[in-house]
Amino acid sequence: MTVTVPDGPAQRAAAAGLVDGRPLEPGQRRRISLDRLASAVAVRGTRLTPGAVAAHACGRRLAVNARRRAQQTAAADRIRTQLEHAAADLPHHIRARVGPETVFSRLRTLGWVTRLLNTPDHANLLNQALQVAARLPPAGQRIDRRLLVPGNPHALDAGPLPALVLALTGCAGMPARSGWACLGVDFDDLLGGLIMTGVTPRGWRIPPGATFTLPPRELTAIDWEPPQDPGTWVFVTENPSVLAAASSRGLTQDGSVTPRVICTAGTPSQHECEAIGALSAAGWNIAVRADFDQAGLAHMRALLAAAPDAVAWRMSAADYRAAVPEDAEGKNTLNLQSADAPWDEALVPAMLQHALPAYEEDLLAALLTDIASGTPQIPPPARA
């Protein structure tokens, strides 16, 4: 560190022997080694350190950060103890999910230990989450989410409690509806679902050109009405703006093609992906797409896994470049891996080059052209 020689003779005398080299004049500065300073200070007292001297001179408490770290460590140990004891008493089918031996390290990796330490009453929050976990049903049974917290049907609607329950049971990182479904919990089968036009479940009578929503309840084991012409395309999008623009146009100019669009309105659940995949069995061709960002690529992988016969629609590297200005460059916040777009190995390198997301609205005119023609444009994938 760099020290400035004090002006007062008494202060200079007090520091005699602590600064190596020839004596300095008042106001002069010199860089000194903390290791050598520590050795010089220790001569005057075995418990003295430069930090202790500095703390005394500044009137501040010594080792505040060390005490804080020790307190956090002790609190984390209490969380570990609470977890291990409570998890050991969980029903067998939940104990296997929670994993008493690994749950603490898993929560710490997910950032939940730090989050709990910053919660005013973390012991109570953790206890509530463990009580909810204890009420989860065994395999083959189901329970309504609103019954998991007696007397408070909305306790798991939002906030840290439901997120902590999902983290405890190994469902962190999944869409909430999918996570609860894995635990045998009915999230809410009336809200959400798929928005669509031009496609209906078998036996339904919907006015031509009408837009409607199929809630999750109707998507379970859905039976789609087959197309009049086998192999007719249905277009799956992420954003309602595409569906709204397509449905507002109605029929094509010659009246031969009605828009057939399904919108996931964001992250599709597993049930929604499976319902889209069931279109193939009914005789539909499926074209799927999403935004060019990390979430959008994840949506695409989920949809293509549930609908192996579906094709990626305008989701190539060339389509991405058409949506992003050539001279546009952003900060690399996409956090993509080379395997994130298996349908086109050149897409991720192109996105990382520009480091910018692109959205369906950036390609809206081209998407509407495909929907109106009834056939998606699917260029051959480029090589990286």
Side-chain angles (χ1 to χ4, degrees), residues 296-310:
L297 299 191
H299 300 173
M300 287 291 294
R301 295 194 300 274
L303 288 168
L304 292 172
D309 295 328

Side-chain angles (χ1 to χ4, degrees), residues 31 37 76 79 100 102 192 232 271 277 283 288 300 307 326 340 351 355 382:
R31 290 184 61 81
L37 177 61
I79 291 175
T102 60
T232 300
H271 282 314
V288 299
M300 287 291 294
E326 292 185 4
D340 285 347
M351 294 177 66

Side-chain angles (χ1 to χ4, degrees), residues 333-383:
T333 58
L334 292 178
N335 297 318
L336 299 178
Q337 304 297 322
S338 58
D340 285 347
W343 60 90
D344 184 353
E345 63 185 44
L347 177 55
V348 169
M351 294 177 66
L352 292 177
Q353 177 184 356
H354 291 283
L356 283 172
Y359 303 101
E360 290 189 310
E361 291 80 1
D362 298 321
L363 290 171
L364 186 57
L367 302 183
L368 294 178
T369 297
D370 288 357
I371 293 170
S373 70
T375 304
Q377 183 185 89
I378 310 168
R383 288 287 180 180

Side-chain angles (χ1 to χ4, degrees), residues 112 115 157-164:
W112 264 105
R115 188 172 177 181
D157 286 354
L161 179 59
L164 180 54

Side-chain angles (χ1 to χ4, degrees), residues 251-275:
L251 298 174
T252 56
Q253 291 181 353
D254 61 4
S256 60
V257 178
T258 300
R260 306 183 190 281
V261 184
I262 295 177
C263 175
T264 64
T267 302
S269 68
Q270 185 61 34
H271 282 314
E272 291 166 0
C273 291
E274 292 171 354

Side-chain angles (χ1 to χ4, degrees), residues 121-205:
D121 192 358
H122 61 262
N124 182 53
L125 174 61
L126 183 56
N127 185 57
Q128 286 181 314
L130 289 163
Q131 289 177 356
V132 172
R135 299 187 184 102
L136 294 172
Q141 299 182 23
R142 302 194 66 80
I143 189 173
D144 191 303
R145 182 171 56 100
R146 291 161 292 195
L147 301 179
L148 286 171
V149 181
N152 190 353
H154 300 293
L156 300 176
D157 286 354
L161 179 59
L164 180 54
V165 174
L166 293 176
L168 281 170
T169 51
C171 296
M174 302 173 62
R177 190 182 299 276
S178 298
W180 289 115
C182 289
L183 298 174
V185 177
D186 293 326
F187 186 80
D188 188 332
D189 61 0
L190 296 179
L191 299 177
L194 299 173
I195 315 169
M196 62 190 64
T197 186
V199 187
T200 62
R202 189 185 294 274
W204 285 39
R205 295 294 176 260

Side-chain angles (χ1 to χ4, degrees), residues 20-44:
D20 293 334
R22 64 180 181 82
L24 298 177
E25 297 297 326
Q28 284 187 301
R29 296 165 65 85
R30 176 172 291 176
R31 290 184 61 81
I32 61 175
S33 165
L34 284 177
D35 288 338
R36 298 182 67 176
L37 177 61
S39 299
V41 169
V43 172
R44 306 194 180 195

Side-chain angles (χ1 to χ4, degrees), residues 233-237 262 285-289 309-313 376 378:
W233 286 95
V234 59
F235 300 86
V236 180
T237 73
I262 295 177
N285 285 339
I286 312 169
V288 299
R289 66 156 295 107
D309 295 328
V311 298
W313 165 41
I378 310 168

